[in-house]
Amino acid sequence: MESENTFKKLKEKGRTATIQRLAVLECLRESHGHPTADELYQSLRQQYPTLSRATVYNCLQVLKEAGLIQELTIEKDKARFDPDPEPHHHFFCRRCKTIFDFQVNCPVAGSGCVEGHQIEEVQAYFYGICESCLKEEKRAVA
Ligand SMILES: [Zn+2]
Ligand SMILES: [Zn+2]
């Protein structure tokens, strides 16, 4: 069912579901924490030794265009990828660089207009120190 959707979405963009594209998508869906293209390349390389870094980058662009994944710019110099293409909030820990999906009610979401602008979608980046880093900090102080 899910792979049918993948095929359909790629086809809508005039793309075929190549083995590489499916492998990149699967690898992204299995990895937690919004990996970078390079992290995906490193883990795919073990299974597909002939896969090049350029191919992984290219596959990610095609999957993004097909609306199967999304690219996050939460870290300025590093693109991260998310297997969930629907808009959702993210929290970035400045200390351990982990990205979490963040469930928080946004006050303006679904409220229509703010300052005359019609809101259609809200997706925010939050920055700070994550729970486990905070705990570690407390332990270090104590
Ligand atoms: Zn952290
Ligand atoms: Zn996410």
Side-chain angles (χ1 to χ4, degrees), residues 5-132:
N5 186 40
T6 304
F7 283 92
K8 207 183 110 217
K9 285 203 160 158
L10 283 166
K11 212 178 157 198
E12 277 168 10
K13 291 279 164 195
R15 307 286 195 158
T16 49
T18 61
I19 291 166
Q20 290 101 321
R21 285 169 191 161
L22 293 177
V24 170
L25 182 62
E26 198 187 286
C27 183
L28 181 57
R29 283 181 175 160
E30 280 168 3
S31 60
H32 302 282
H34 311 81
T36 63
D38 207 55
E39 283 164 357
L40 285 167
Y41 166 66
Q42 298 300 341
S43 61
L44 280 159
R45 213 163 56 140
Q46 294 160 23
Q47 217 183 329
Y48 305 92
T50 57
L51 200 68
S52 73
R53 183 177 270 131
T55 304
V56 173
Y57 277 76
N58 186 273
C59 288
L60 287 165
Q61 290 311 312
V62 171
L63 293 167
K64 191 177 84 174
E65 277 164 34
L68 288 161
I69 64 169
Q70 65 168 311
E71 186 176 338
L72 305 177
T73 50
I74 193 162
E75 235 185 322
K76 273 187 200 76
D77 51 349
K78 253 188 231 159
R80 301 268 197 160
F81 293 88
D82 192 327
D84 181 359
E86 294 303 319
H88 56 278
H89 306 306
H90 290 96
F91 180 88
F92 178 78
C93 175
R94 289 203 160 108
R95 197 146 302 169
C96 65
K97 316 267 189 236
T98 306
I99 295 170
F100 303 87
D101 282 342
F102 203 42
Q103 310 295 336
V104 61
N105 281 330
C106 182
V108 296
S111 68
C113 289
V114 173
E115 293 185 2
H117 308 301
Q118 189 186 316
I119 295 163
E120 294 181 335
E121 179 182 307
V122 178
Q123 178 156 243
Y125 292 152
F126 296 83
Y127 297 85
I129 314 289
C130 78
E131 194 188 9
S132 68

